[in-house]
Amino acid sequence: MIILGIETSCDETSLAVLNSKRRRLKLESFLVSSQTKLHARWGGVVPELAARRHAETIIPLLQETLQRAKVKPQDLDLIAVTAGPGLITALQVGVETAKALAATWRLLVVPVNHIAGHLVSPFLTPANWKLVWQRQTWPAVALVVSGGHTELYLMRSLAKWQLLGKTLDDAAGEAFDKVAKMLGLPYPGGPRVAKLAASGNPAAYDFPRPMLKTADSNFSFAGLKTAVRYSLPMRPSAQRKNDICASFQQAAIDVLVNKTLRAVAKHNAHTVIVGGGVSANQALRDAFAKALPSLERKSRLLFPEFRFTGDNAAMIALAAAVQTNFRIPPVKRNQLALQANANWELWN
Ligand code: KG4
Ligand code: ZN
């Protein structure tokens, strides 16, 4: 089955061609056009600008993706598109393009939830894909940490998820971005904070670890962000900035790792999955790797490859493959009625 994936939920236009045949998976081509530079001068993503840039970029990117995959439209079996959650104007570009292409090429459109994409993203790696079929992989506890979401799921298979908890205020990535802004670092802030943190002392500030000890699987990052704001001197030195970044990052990581591991123990999970933009954070990866052996049961740790941590169409195509269970469902008559849904939560 050859799937064209389309992702335009925020500030990356991405297309991918994924070939899935039973237990074999091959990413034929995969492109991301990032809008980072466009939004940097505004200090964050401007939805109208994002949508316009998606509209300008999507067709040339589509042509290049098909060319690189050496695939013609008539070779495709279905189109997978992110239908939510995300910025509505941005999502609409992907969804409407998918519908137009599907009508022209007589293909099925499969709407994919963006978070479902992040959940399956570690399995784009062939060695991990094999694990999907092994009984000892499941259940898994999956942490999604992105700019808009921080959620913990219990997964009984790649297609069966149950929400365990989520952030009650800011998402983890959002907290990184806001701390970056306070420090005058350019957008996108997460990677910048991580970079400064590498030269800072994580014990310099004793920032709060919100909800670290609560028995539920919910998170909160607003208080941590506020604590960082109050700790900021008028003109922080470079070293002070590094220390603030390192201490903030450590507090966020402590909460993410501890709460995930507690859920792993509670549900006797065999695997820990981490996905989303913040999963690119090396300190977070190291902290998980270091903490995992403390569990009674040996659990496997799965992170996406770095190229699949941020928003990308490869994970959207894979989520559609999982959703359709490797069989091509018939084209529905009413698929042109499909609408982007900015607030589409996975657990609804
Ligand atoms: O998944 P993603 O690309 O987009 C959303 O679905 O939101 O996640 C983007 C988020 C941003 O908040 C960005 O600052 C954060 O991921 N991020 C990082 C790192 N790389 C990206 N946060 C911390 N450390 C990083 N290395
Ligand atoms: Zn994302």
Side-chain angles (χ1 to χ4, degrees):
M1 185 162 73
I2 303 184
I3 303 175
L4 173 68
I6 301 178
E7 155 66 42
T8 64
S9 67
C10 190
D11 59 347
E12 330 271 1
T13 319
S14 179
L15 284 119
V17 173
L18 184 76
N19 195 341
S20 76
K21 210 182 211 176
R22 292 189 164 267
R23 298 193 180 190
R24 283 191 34 212
L25 197 69
K26 187 161 179 250
L27 188 58
E28 304 286 358
S29 69
F30 156 62
L31 289 171
V32 181
S33 170
S34 177
Q35 304 179 357
T36 306
K37 281 197 193 123
L38 173 71
H39 300 291
R41 60 183 290 222
W42 306 102
V45 180
V46 184
E48 297 304 327
L49 293 181
R52 190 187 300 181
R53 180 60 63 85
H54 284 309
E56 289 163 1
T57 314
I58 195 162
I59 298 300
L61 209 64
L62 166 70
Q63 285 172 326
E64 202 180 330
T65 308
L66 293 180
Q67 235 164 42
R68 287 191 185 197
K70 298 193 174 61
V71 157
K72 296 196 175 61
Q74 57 266 34
D75 301 328
L76 296 171
D77 292 305
L78 59 89
I79 301 179
V81 64
T82 306
L87 304 171
I88 189 65
T89 52
L91 288 164
Q92 276 167 343
V93 177
V95 169
E96 297 306 320
T97 303
K99 281 157 63 178
L101 294 175
T104 312
W105 296 337
R106 295 178 202 288
L107 290 171
L108 178 78
V109 186
V110 175
V112 173
N113 184 293
H114 182 79
I115 301 303
H118 280 307
L119 285 176
V120 302
S121 62
F123 296 95
L124 284 162
T125 307
N128 292 347
W129 183 239
K130 288 190 194 130
L131 301 174
V132 173
W133 319 99
Q134 295 175 9
R135 267 190 38 215
Q136 61 267 36
T137 303
W138 311 104
V141 162
L143 173 70
V144 177
V145 265
S146 72
H149 290 75
T150 301
E151 284 151 17
L152 259 183
Y153 288 91
L154 178 64
M155 295 176 77
R156 301 211 178 269
S157 78
L158 207 48
K160 273 195 197 148
W161 45 68
Q162 176 196 335
L163 183 77
L164 296 176
K166 62 186 175 68
T167 181
L168 303 179
D169 41 55
D170 293 353
E174 191 180 350
F176 270 88
D177 294 340
K178 285 179 176 168
V179 166
K181 227 174 192 176
M182 288 176 214
L183 291 167
L185 303 172
Y187 165 86
R192 307 271 179 168
V193 169
K195 194 160 179 236
L196 297 199
S199 309
N201 173 8
Y205 291 84
D206 187 18
F207 288 137
R209 269 82 171 145
M211 303 187 73
L212 180 71
K213 298 214 161 76
T214 56
D216 57 30
S217 290
N218 291 328
F219 300 91
S220 162
F221 292 101
L224 169 59
K225 172 193 71 185
T226 308
V228 171
R229 174 166 290 136
Y230 285 127
S231 75
L232 260 181
M234 285 290 277
R235 278 181 211 83
S237 65
Q239 188 55 47
R240 184 66 74 92
K241 280 189 184 181
N242 294 348
D243 288 346
I244 289 174
C245 286
S247 303
F248 156 75
Q249 180 176 269
Q250 191 57 53
I253 288 174
D254 280 354
V255 178
L256 291 171
V257 172
N258 272 293
K259 297 216 80 160
T260 304
L261 261 54
R262 197 176 310 157
V264 171
K266 183 172 173 194
H267 296 280
N268 224 343
H270 298 203
T271 306
V272 183
I273 294 170
V274 188
V278 184
S279 73
N281 188 286
Q282 191 58 51
L284 179 71
R285 290 178 176 233
D286 295 344
F288 264 110
K290 202 172 156 206
L292 223 59
S294 70
L295 289 171
E296 242 171 73
R297 165 196 280 283
K298 216 169 146 298
S299 300
R300 192 191 292 271
L301 181 61
L302 297 180
F303 272 87
E305 290 172 33
F306 285 106
R307 61 189 177 137
F308 301 133
T309 55
D311 294 344
N312 69 84
M315 68 183 193
I316 301 304
L318 182 57
V322 171
Q323 229 167 288
T324 56
N325 224 345
F326 307 97
R327 283 183 297 273
I328 307 160
V331 175
K332 286 190 204 127
R333 278 182 186 211
N334 64 349
Q335 69 174 12
L336 289 180
L338 172 67
Q339 296 286 329
N341 177 359
N343 303 314
W344 180 18
E345 301 296 1
L346 193 53
W347 62 86
N348 283 344

